Amino acid sequence: MEVERQQIEGTKALRRQRDAAAAERTLGAVRAAARNDKVNLMPPIIDAVKAGVTLGEICQVFRDEMGEHRDPAFV
């Protein structure tokens, strides 16, 4: 439980300290790239990470734009 609490606090601190406008702008670029199947996703992902965007936030954009894979064998 202590490790979980530390991770949560670390994520909250990162979000407080980052440039919120840059994080939103770069997440928007990831979203736009995800909508366009002819665009390389890596450059906007790298920019988002440099802006302090978390992996969870990037993955949420992918879930929002592309859906979530469900193995038909287990659905």
Side-chain angles (χ1 to χ4, degrees):
M1 293 300 282
E2 180 61 22
V3 172
E4 179 182 5
R5 188 190 63 73
Q6 289 173 345
Q7 289 293 321
I8 290 168
E9 290 305 315
T11 300
K12 286 180 181 179
L14 171 72
R15 289 181 177 161
R16 280 192 306 271
Q17 296 168 2
R18 71 184 180 189
D19 179 342
E24 286 301 315
R25 184 180 67 253
T26 57
L27 264 180
V30 171
R31 185 175 304 280
R35 289 178 178 166
N36 183 344
D37 64 350
K38 298 191 179 15
V39 174
N40 182 349
L41 284 167
M42 286 310 297
I45 291 171
I46 291 168
D47 290 343
V49 170
K50 288 179 179 177
V53 175
T54 67
L55 177 61
E57 291 169 315
I58 293 168
C59 289
Q60 187 59 52
V61 167
F62 293 153
R63 282 190 291 275
D64 292 346
E65 295 303 321
M66 299 176 202
E68 192 169 344
H69 174 73
R70 302 272 184 197
D71 188 335
F74 297 103
V75 173

